[in-house]
Amino acid sequence: AQSVTQLGSHVSVSEGALVLLRCNYSSSVPPYLFWYVQYPNQGLQLLLKYTTGATLVKGINGFEAEFKKSETSFHLTKPSAHMSDAAEYFCAVSEDTGFQKLVFGTGTRLLVSP
Amino acid sequence: DGGITQSPKYLFRKEGQNVTLSCEQNLNHDAMYWYRQDPGQGLRLIYYSQIVNDFQKGDIAEGYSVSREKKESFPLTVTSAQKNPTAFYLCASSIGTGGGYTFGSGTRLTVV
């Protein structure tokens, strides 16, 4: 069965600092991997996804993530945090086998201080 | 623009009442999903549907029911059997393989 572990329920950074949100997954077959962002009282918005091909994936708002099969990781990074990046971030995995059903991590809340 | 519409945004339920949350999509997606979100627990799958007139239970289906009579619509009923219904409910849709989900803006249900 698939699973996702997000290390750290809260991450705090200063504006302009590097953002690193960690995600490790478990899957018995090649995975599809996703990062979503959620602002308060809103739905989730897709930041980026990995399906096949290039392992470094670029998404919206300057975020990127690298699929590392050997480490079963898909960490999310951004070189320089903005105040507007403060939100909750969810990593998700699905298996590359027919019908897609995403399994989500428990989320990481990013706090950005001036 | 295509998207998913959830209504209402806020809903209050009295003890013992059934309530229905609406979810409509105009993305022509085959698959639709309902998730429940509680603080610190991420998203938990309630029900999903791959095609019209068919749906499957997710991880926490007890106390909930759904229908899928039209491709565009996937309403969720929270029944009186659900003992702790206060939560944020999210509806999503997808093409079914790859691509990820598109989410609605959610319904916050509170028991009063």
Side-chain angles (χ1 to χ4, degrees):
Chain A
Q2 310 156 78
S3 66
V4 173
T5 301
Q6 290 185 241
L7 295 177
S9 59
H10 292 80
V11 170
S12 295
V13 300
S14 299
E15 194 172 20
L18 171 72
V19 175
L20 171 61
L21 304 182
R22 300 179 186 273
C23 173
N24 288 88
Y25 70 91
S26 172
S27 177
S28 58
V29 298
Y32 289 166
L33 295 159
F34 306 83
W35 275 101
Y36 286 85
V37 61
Q38 184 182 33
Y39 298 99
N41 290 313
Q42 295 186 25
L44 277 67
Q45 179 184 8
L46 182 65
L47 274 179
L48 49 81
K49 64 182 180 183
Y50 168 79
T51 52
T52 58
T55 56
L56 182 61
V57 180
K58 295 186 183 299
I60 62 173
N61 301 338
F63 285 93
E64 61 183 37
E66 186 171 11
F67 170 58
K68 292 187 177 181
K69 183 178 179 180
S70 61
E71 299 177 7
T72 61
S73 69
F74 191 57
H75 301 331
L76 181 70
T77 61
K78 182 174 181 178
S80 176
H82 295 163
M83 296 295 291
S84 60
D85 294 327
E88 189 149 22
Y89 292 80
F90 291 92
C91 183
V93 63
S94 72
E95 293 184 341
D96 181 17
T97 52
F99 179 71
Q100 177 184 61
K101 192 168 66 168
L102 293 186
V103 174
F104 288 86
T106 53
T108 297
R109 184 167 297 279
L110 178 65
L111 307 171
V112 182
S113 56
Chain B
D1 288 339
I4 297 182
T5 301
Q6 288 188 243
S7 63
K9 189 168 179 65
Y10 299 95
L11 185 58
F12 298 90
R13 191 192 94 167
K14 293 182 179 179
E15 296 279 354
Q17 276 187 337
N18 292 353
V19 291
T20 297
L21 284 61
S22 171
C23 178
E24 303 276 337
Q25 55 102 355
N26 60 2
L27 298 165
N28 200 33
H29 285 171
D30 287 317
M32 297 187 75
Y33 313 78
W34 274 105
Y35 284 88
R36 171 180 171 140
Q37 186 176 21
D38 297 282
Q41 297 194 49
L43 279 71
R44 293 183 289 169
L45 183 63
I46 304 173
Y47 270 98
Y48 65 100
S49 168
Q50 299 181 52
I51 198 167
V52 175
N53 293 321
D54 186 44
F55 49 83
Q56 287 78 40
K57 293 182 179 180
D59 301 318
I60 57 164
E62 185 175 351
Y64 300 97
S65 65
V66 295
S67 62
R68 188 85 186 277
E69 298 177 359
K70 300 186 299 180
K71 187 176 186 178
E72 302 78 16
S73 179
F74 191 42
L76 174 74
T77 296
V78 184
T79 74
S80 57
Q82 172 49 241
K83 297 307 178 186
N84 185 24
T86 294
F88 191 53
Y89 292 86
L90 286 162
C91 179
S93 70
S94 78
I95 60 172
T97 57
Y101 293 178
T102 299
F103 280 86
S105 57
T107 293
R108 185 165 298 280
L109 173 63
T110 303
V111 173
V112 296

